[in-house]
Amino acid sequence: MNPNDFWKPFEVEIASFEDLQKILGQVMEKAVANNRTFAWRGQSNASWGLHASLPRRLRLTLGRTVLEDDLSKREGQILAEVHRWGLHASHETGRLSILSQLAMLQHYGAPTRLLDITFNAWVGTWFAVEEKWDNGQTKYDDVDARLFAVDVTDRLINEQDHRRAWEDELTRPWTSDNPELVGRKEWTTTVFAWKPPSLDGRIAAQNGGFLFGGVPMTEKPDNKRFQLPKTSTGTEKWTIDEVRQATCIAIRPNEFSTAKGAKSSTGALYSFRIKAIAKAKIRDRLERLFGYRHSTIYPDYTGFASYGTPELKSW
């Protein structure tokens, strides 16, 4: 199943910077009117699924859809290896929590289940239209991009008394080692968000955070079915395997509505397709208005190595 088919029935098209301004203004109005919190994620290619790096790589390795047991097992192996290398603690901070270990792994490019997000809509847009290179040649500028807005109201573990402690846990809260922290049914049918402390300058520059959760399953804690509609009418449903091909977390695509009284629900995802023809113009406006460029979004040596070196090859 092409993930593009999963998003298309609910997406809104953005063909210019003016379209972008209008859409972001409408989302912000919804947030203020209904006291909602949104997180944002931009992807260079609109046809990509919503997959973190670890499940994406596991799918290539296994040659099939990844299940939560697959992901949890490999995640445990990675964390055990981090411990063997002695990277789970430092002289400055002492023992790092599991979430902090995963955040650091994510920062340096190791595969994790974390999905990068930002709490700044303009930064999220920048990631969608970001200029990228492959061996000195630009890539993705000729394909549509996608901008996701996710309603994370009541999903931020930092703002929940019963989940704030996850930030300091030395074992994974979502495994059978800690069943009292989150049950398997809730873990695999719910999305969680985390706004970490400024572990480094990049997180601060990006107003960054993470989405995470279990690989989608079919049964909620109340024993009701977890199903996702194929269209806004909701008459047809995707199979759970099709859902897993499109997203590694239990997130529900919704049609964005500006109608008076229209509300969003926790975990709702809105999808905006940014046309390829608009990418360069939007990128230019973001730099002129906010100073967003690779050096300000990735203000560290890792950022220079990852994004500066490919650009230098084009000189």
Side-chain angles (χ1 to χ4, degrees), residues 129-202:
V129 301
E130 173 185 2
E131 190 171 24
K132 294 189 175 183
W133 302 269
D134 182 12
N135 197 28
Q137 300 296 316
T138 57
K139 60 178 182 178
Y140 304 133
D141 259 10
D142 59 345
V143 298
D144 294 351
R146 193 172 297 283
L147 176 64
F148 294 112
V150 184
D151 188 327
V152 294
T153 310
D154 301 325
R155 293 287 91 193
L156 274 168
I157 63 170
N158 320 60
E159 298 179 1
Q160 296 179 303
D161 290 340
H162 62 300
R163 292 205 172 97
R164 191 173 293 115
W166 285 20
E167 292 189 283
D168 303 313
E169 287 289 338
L170 301 180
T171 56
R172 289 175 289 169
W174 48 87
T175 66
S176 57
D177 296 334
N178 274 320
E180 71 279 2
L181 295 180
V182 60
R184 185 176 178 86
K185 289 182 180 180
E186 182 181 11
W187 175 241
T188 55
T189 57
T190 308
V191 62
F192 300 89
W194 177 43
K195 186 173 177 58
S198 296
L199 298 172
D200 55 53
R202 183 183 296 191

Side-chain angles (χ1 to χ4, degrees), residues 32 53 58 68 125-126 146 192 204 233 245 280:
V32 171
S53 54
L58 265 181
E68 176 59 24
T125 302
W126 187 89
R146 193 172 297 283
F192 300 89
T233 61
Q245 291 177 51

Side-chain angles (χ1 to χ4, degrees), residues 32-165:
V32 171
N34 299 301
N35 196 27
R36 314 302 293 181
T37 300
F38 285 93
W40 302 82
R41 178 177 171 85
Q43 297 190 167
S44 302
N45 192 325
S47 65
W48 289 344
L50 190 61
H51 291 291
S53 54
L54 183 55
R56 187 169 62 245
R57 294 188 186 190
L58 265 181
R59 184 177 179 183
L60 293 174
T61 301
L62 299 174
R64 59 170 172 79
T65 302
V66 176
L67 305 178
E68 176 59 24
D69 287 344
D70 302 320
L71 184 55
S72 184
K73 177 181 178 181
R74 191 58 58 92
E75 181 180 61
Q77 292 171 338
I78 291 171
L79 289 168
E81 196 67 20
V82 168
H83 196 283
R84 293 188 190 98
W85 281 50
L87 299 175
H88 62 297
S90 72
H91 295 299
E92 294 79 16
T93 61
R95 176 73 179 267
L96 292 173
S97 70
I98 287 296
L99 276 175
S100 293
Q101 289 180 50
L102 291 176
M104 293 303 290
L105 289 171
Q106 182 84 347
H107 173 78
Y108 286 105
T112 77
R113 73 161 72 233
L114 302 180
L115 277 162
D116 291 306
I117 55 172
T118 173
F119 294 93
N120 183 319
W122 297 106
V123 173
T125 302
W126 187 89
F127 283 120
V129 301
E130 173 185 2
E131 190 171 24
K132 294 189 175 183
W133 302 269
D134 182 12
N135 197 28
Q137 300 296 316
T138 57
K139 60 178 182 178
Y140 304 133
D141 259 10
D142 59 345
V143 298
D144 294 351
R146 193 172 297 283
L147 176 64
F148 294 112
V150 184
D151 188 327
V152 294
T153 310
D154 301 325
R155 293 287 91 193
L156 274 168
I157 63 170
N158 320 60
E159 298 179 1
Q160 296 179 303
D161 290 340
H162 62 300
R163 292 205 172 97
R164 191 173 293 115

Side-chain angles (χ1 to χ4, degrees), residues 257-273:
S257 173
T258 58
K260 187 176 181 180
K263 296 182 179 181
S264 63
S265 57
T266 297
L269 176 143
Y270 302 108
S271 173
F272 307 101
R273 176 185 285 267

